[in-house]
Amino acid sequence: MANQQQQVVVVGAGVIGLLTAFNLASQGRAVILLERSAVGQESSWAGGGIVSPLYPWRYSPAVTALAHWSQDFYPQLGERLFAATGIDPEVHTTGLYWLDLDDEADALAWAAREGRPLSKVDVSAAHDAVPVLGSGFSQAIYMADVANVRNPRLVKSLKAALLALPGVTVHEQCAVKGFIQESGRVVGVNTALGPIHGDHVVLAAGAWSGELLGSLGLALPVEPVKGQMILYKCASDFLSSMVLAKGRYAIPRRDGHILIGSTLEHEGFDKTPTERALESLKASAVELIPALADAQVVGHWAGLRPGSPEGIPYIGKVPGFDGLWLNCGHYRNGLVLAPASCQLFVDLLLEREPIIDPTPYVPAGRI
């Protein structure tokens, strides 16, 4: 029962914080999860949920390693959460078409090297598979096994699964003000509810992680990067596959909702949706799928991604501050990388054999 006594405080209840807490609680650790607003309402809620980096061949092997492990794991995670909670995260395997890429040759070379099922297809085959696709494209590549997850439902399902485990406390509307230190060790956090102590403190606060770590005099290069999305509602069979061109994508949900995203804006912590982005996203939507010109936009929102150098997250101990850990800085790929990141994190905290080499993600030397 010694494990039961070890208490971990997790700061941030997005997908990374939720899954970190879930994995720890599943291993018998007592967990206190703290969230400044409501569980999963920031980047985790706002994203598109493609279970792949948008352009996987443009990333370092560090991101690729996490992505591949997560992609292979997502279907079973979805099934496990659905079985446990009755809330289906809707891991929906549709495949993905990339259209008119400048670096198509690089993509195909990457796929051959990594053994991923991505191949060049005639653009007419893309039109046959996706009849609503716009006519202005001349080349296409396709990866068959790419899924998307309905991220707002993933958040709900993870929260329900976490709360069903013993030894778990979740405090929403509970902003962390700073860290409590004793003898060179971080032993807790100061919050709106007062001090909360733990044997370990995990910072998984997304775009807010850099600000929090700054209170210790550390410069973590994680900054908010705004992204805006729009949503249409169509028939459930309207769009059969995800499509991506010129940095914009269309994602079909099972019920006919179509997500179009996204912008990349450096606007600090401002996440006000703008008319300019709305018009730009609508133009991209109609270019990808002309029939959307007659469809009504039923949603428009913005979120803040935790931007980081090369999109490589920080996973592991903070040097010089015993008891403090990071699992943050996933930039555009938090939902993609969450299962692997959170499994790797728990392997490190519990001193187990890690699922992949942890070296690229360690904070030492990077902050």
Side-chain angles (χ1 to χ4, degrees):
M1 291 297 286
N3 285 353
Q4 205 61 44
Q5 307 312 310
Q6 202 170 56
Q7 182 160 288
V8 184
V9 178
V10 179
V11 180
V15 163
I16 299 293
L18 284 166
L19 196 48
T20 298
F22 179 77
N23 287 350
L24 286 165
S26 298
Q27 296 300 317
R29 298 307 192 270
V31 179
I32 301 179
L33 181 61
L34 307 175
E35 169 53 49
R36 55 184 285 282
S37 56
V39 164
Q41 292 303 297
E42 296 289 352
S43 190
S44 300
W45 185 91
I50 302 176
V51 185
S52 169
L54 290 185
Y55 302 98
W57 55 90
R58 296 179 188 172
Y59 283 92
S60 71
V63 172
T64 300
L66 292 170
H68 286 181
W69 196 93
S70 290
Q71 284 167 314
D72 296 341
F73 185 75
Y74 246 112
Q76 69 196 73
L77 176 65
E79 287 167 17
R80 180 181 173 189
L81 290 172
F82 188 21
T85 67
I87 302 165
D88 188 357
E90 292 188 18
V91 179
H92 184 29
T93 303
T94 62
L96 172 56
Y97 286 92
W98 287 267
L99 305 159
D100 289 2
L101 282 170
D102 292 334
D103 58 350
E104 188 180 89
D106 293 344
L108 295 168
W110 170 88
R113 195 170 63 242
E114 296 285 341
R116 304 311 275 187
L118 183 152
S119 55
K120 186 165 177 60
V121 295
D122 194 273
V123 78
S124 65
H127 283 284
D128 290 344
V130 187
V132 293
L133 184 64
S135 60
F137 304 105
S138 58
Q139 58 191 69
I141 61 173
Y142 178 65
M143 190 146 66
D145 64 348
V146 185
N148 68 76
V149 62
R150 197 159 179 177
N151 36 305
R153 299 201 175 179
L154 175 66
V155 163
K156 279 185 186 168
S157 186
L158 267 173
K159 182 182 179 183
L162 180 62
L163 289 172
L165 292 172
V168 172
T169 309
V170 177
H171 291 302
E172 297 180 273
Q173 312 300 330
C174 179
V176 169
K177 314 286 191 192
F179 300 94
I180 304 169
Q181 298 182 72
E182 285 175 11
S183 313
R185 183 178 175 84
V186 173
V187 296
V189 290
N190 287 309
T191 78
L193 298 176
I196 294 175
H197 289 83
D199 299 285
H200 304 278
V201 174
V202 187
L203 187 54
W208 288 264
S209 299
E211 282 207 328
L212 278 169
L213 214 53
S215 69
L216 294 174
L218 295 171
L220 180 73
V222 172
E223 58 172 14
V225 181
K226 182 176 177 179
Q228 298 190 50
M229 311 273 291
I230 57 173
L231 185 69
Y232 294 91
K233 180 70 169 76
C234 302
S236 60
D237 60 352
F238 173 75
L239 181 63
S240 57
S241 176
M242 294 181 281
V243 291
L244 194 161
K246 298 181 183 174
R248 297 280 170 88
Y249 50 78
I251 304 171
R253 302 299 198 212
R254 283 186 187 151
D255 64 0
H257 277 103
I258 309 291
L259 276 165
I260 304 289
S262 72
T263 63
L264 272 175
E265 305 166 63
H266 293 266
E267 301 283 350
F269 286 94
D270 172 25
K271 53 176 192 173
T272 313
T274 63
E275 194 64 30
R276 184 177 169 191
L278 175 64
E279 293 310 314
S280 172
L281 289 163
K282 282 164 75 173
S284 293
V286 172
E287 187 176 6
L288 279 167
I289 302 165
L292 291 177
D294 302 319
Q296 183 186 356
V297 174
V298 295
H300 174 208
W301 62 87
L304 300 173
R305 309 174 185 87
S308 59
E310 293 184 74
I312 300 173
Y314 297 84
I315 305 171
K317 292 179 176 180
V318 177
F321 294 88
D322 272 1
L324 182 60
W325 300 73
L326 301 182
N327 193 1
C328 60
H330 293 75
Y331 196 15
R332 302 193 74 174
N333 294 312
L335 285 154
V336 188
L337 305 182
S341 297
C342 298
Q343 185 59 53
L344 175 61
F345 178 85
V346 171
D347 290 344
L348 294 173
L349 189 134
L350 301 182
E351 299 180 354
R352 296 179 170 182
E353 183 70 27
I355 51 162
I356 57 173
D357 177 10
T359 309
Y361 320 103
V362 296
R366 299 179 64 210
I367 56 177

